[in-house]
Amino acid sequence: MVRQDRSDRRSGGHKRGKGRDDHHYHHGGQKTSKTTKPPVNENSPVIAVFRTFQTELDSVHDKYERLVKLSRDVTIDSKRVIFLLHRISNDEKKQSVLEEADSKIANVKQRLCQITQELQGEDPYRYLRAISPGVQEFIEALLFYHYIKNNKLLGHKELEQQLSFVVTNESEGSKVNQARDAGMKQQKGSDVKKPEEDTSEETATETKTEAENESSTEPKSCVTGGGDEAPPETLKIDMHIPPNEYMLGMADFTGELMRMCINSVGSGDRETPFQLVSFMREIYDGFQLLGNTPNREVVRKLYTMRQSLKKVENTCYTLHVRGSEIPEHMLLDAIASVEKGERGFAGDNDGEE
């Protein structure tokens, strides 16, 4: 009997609580589902505060997306400038290519002016991840252009001077911020007993902000340069380039120097590789002074820079030692064979270790 009672309890114990897992019971005996939520009191000051947070976060996310799109355009246009500069094969073609590259760089600066307008009044490092790829690609293209034109490295201060803009009219980005701030102040000072009116005003403000965001894509109000003082009825804005971004762009720039070295050998120019190898060694020695850096991206690009410098050194070695005995049309094959031989030698040493 005891065993049977225990089995009955085990098998039938769930019958007492049948239905209680799915519903709650009020004191009146009415069933209510767990999924039923109490109505939200729109007149609550707490809800009003969170509506303000929602508006502010939406504006931050929208600005981040706009900066990502602008950075993508800057990256594409900067790559086109680099590809154009690699077409220089002789001095006769150099001037025409540089003039075309100068016009393309001016178009890229218009995009950067839009980015500068968006970042006015903001922490420059808050949106750095959104614009970092485009900024590094532009630095790489501008350093490459400046080296081909003036045969020297463009410094960090000189770079920032070229990214100084004069806005002839009030920037659209500042209009967006003013509209957003006005909407937030209006929402804070409004009466909480009129949620419908607040909602309509907020919707109108968001519609106005979206229209201004669409109009902010027109870079017609930016003028590059402008000197120390801006004319009246204009605004002078400067784009801040963090030193770390400048260094990363310079590291990518050495890769373009390596490609320039190989192209010069293919066109029969035997003097340019020796100029490039000494210039790249100076840059590499400067990076070595940094020591062990915790930045993973700097370490990765430093390794790539070392590989590019090694290729240029192998090219100069082949030209200096075997250049007289190898025909010009076979120099590139000889350089490639030297690199393959070194790779195989390195692989044998790794196997022995």
Side-chain angles (χ1 to χ4, degrees):
M1 292 295 293
V2 177
R3 294 181 178 178
Q4 186 175 0
D5 293 340
R6 291 179 178 176
S7 62
D8 291 342
R9 291 176 182 176
R10 292 175 181 176
S11 60
H14 66 281
K15 294 181 180 179
R16 293 182 179 178
K18 185 177 181 180
R20 291 182 180 271
D21 294 339
D22 300 331
H23 302 85
H24 289 290
Y25 289 85
H26 288 294
H27 295 290
Q30 296 179 354
K31 295 181 180 179
T32 58
S33 176
K34 277 186 177 181
T35 58
T36 303
K37 297 181 180 179
V40 178
N41 184 11
E42 295 291 341
N43 297 329
S44 173
V46 177
I47 298 299
V49 171
F50 275 92
R51 296 295 184 192
T52 304
F53 295 160
Q54 178 185 4
T55 304
E56 185 175 357
L57 288 175
D58 288 343
S59 64
V60 170
H61 294 158
D62 293 341
K63 177 175 288 191
Y64 190 91
E65 292 300 325
R66 290 196 301 270
L67 290 173
V68 169
K69 292 179 181 179
L70 288 172
S71 176
R72 194 177 301 137
D73 294 338
V74 170
T75 302
I76 294 173
D77 294 340
S78 299
K79 286 183 180 295
R80 290 173 179 172
V81 172
I82 294 174
F83 297 154
L84 176 64
L85 293 174
H86 279 298
R87 289 167 48 189
I88 298 176
S89 57
N90 50 41
D91 294 337
E92 297 179 357
K93 196 176 182 181
K94 179 178 179 180
Q95 188 62 30
S96 61
V97 173
L98 287 177
E99 291 178 357
E100 185 178 355
D102 194 11
S103 62
K104 290 183 179 295
I105 290 176
N107 294 332
V108 181
K109 289 181 178 179
Q110 294 293 325
R111 302 284 187 184
L112 294 174
C113 180
Q114 292 180 268
I115 293 177
T116 308
Q117 292 180 24
E118 292 283 354
L119 295 178
Q120 285 300 301
E122 300 284 355
D123 184 0
Y125 294 93
R126 184 177 187 178
Y127 299 95
L128 184 59
R129 293 187 62 182
I131 64 174
S132 179
V135 169
Q136 292 182 23
E137 196 70 29
F138 172 75
I139 292 173
E140 177 185 357
L142 190 61
L143 292 180
F144 191 36
Y145 168 81
H146 194 269
Y147 177 78
I148 293 178
K149 184 177 181 180
N150 302 319
N151 199 23
K152 65 178 182 179
L153 181 66
L154 183 68
H156 180 254
K157 293 182 178 180
E158 298 173 347
L159 174 65
E160 287 191 330
Q161 289 177 359
Q162 294 196 18
L163 297 179
S164 178
F165 308 101
V166 174
V167 183
T168 55
N169 296 321
E170 187 179 4
S171 63
E172 299 295 337
S174 61
K175 291 181 181 179
V176 174
N177 295 334
Q178 292 178 1
R180 183 191 65 189
D181 296 338
M184 293 172 60
K185 291 180 180 179
Q186 185 176 7
Q187 187 174 3
K188 289 181 180 179
S190 60
D191 188 1
V192 293
K193 295 182 180 180
K194 299 178 180 180
E196 297 180 357
E197 296 179 3
D198 294 343
T199 305
S200 61
E201 291 176 357
E202 182 180 354
T203 305
T205 303
E206 291 179 355
T207 305
K208 181 179 179 182
T209 303
E210 291 177 359
E212 290 177 348
N213 291 343
E214 293 177 357
S215 63
S216 65
T217 57
E218 300 180 1
K220 296 181 180 180
S221 60
C222 293
V223 179
T224 307
D228 298 333
E229 297 181 358
E233 298 181 357
T234 58
L235 177 65
K236 184 175 180 295
I237 55 177
D238 299 324
M239 185 174 185
H240 173 67
I241 302 295
N244 188 60
E245 297 298 309
Y246 174 75
M247 291 171 55
L248 294 174
M250 188 194 305
D252 294 333
F253 161 62
T254 57
E256 304 306 326
L257 293 179
M258 182 269 296
R259 296 181 182 90
M260 181 181 178
C261 173
I262 302 301
N263 292 337
S264 63
V265 174
S267 61
D269 184 5
R270 300 194 178 192
E271 296 180 359
T272 300
F274 293 97
Q275 298 176 0
L276 293 175
V277 70
S278 59
F279 181 65
M280 291 179 64
R281 281 173 180 169
E282 292 180 1
I283 297 178
Y284 182 74
D285 292 340
F287 272 87
Q288 288 295 316
L289 297 176
L290 299 176
N292 295 327
T293 57
N295 194 325
R296 185 178 301 176
E297 192 172 4
V298 173
V299 175
R300 180 176 60 85
K301 293 197 174 185
L302 186 60
Y303 174 78
T304 306
M305 185 194 305
R306 188 185 303 115
Q307 298 299 319
S308 300
L309 177 59
K310 195 173 184 179
K311 291 180 181 179
V312 177
E313 289 177 343
N314 290 336
T315 301
C316 293
Y317 168 80
T318 304
L319 291 175
H320 184 72
V321 176
R322 304 181 59 189
S324 59
E325 60 186 25
I326 299 177
E328 292 186 359
H329 66 278
M330 297 181 62
L331 282 175
L332 293 178
D333 295 334
I335 294 171
S337 64
V338 172
E339 293 180 0
K340 290 180 180 179
E342 288 195 353
R343 291 174 187 172
F345 180 74
D348 295 340
N349 290 340
D350 294 339
E352 293 177 0
E353 292 179 357

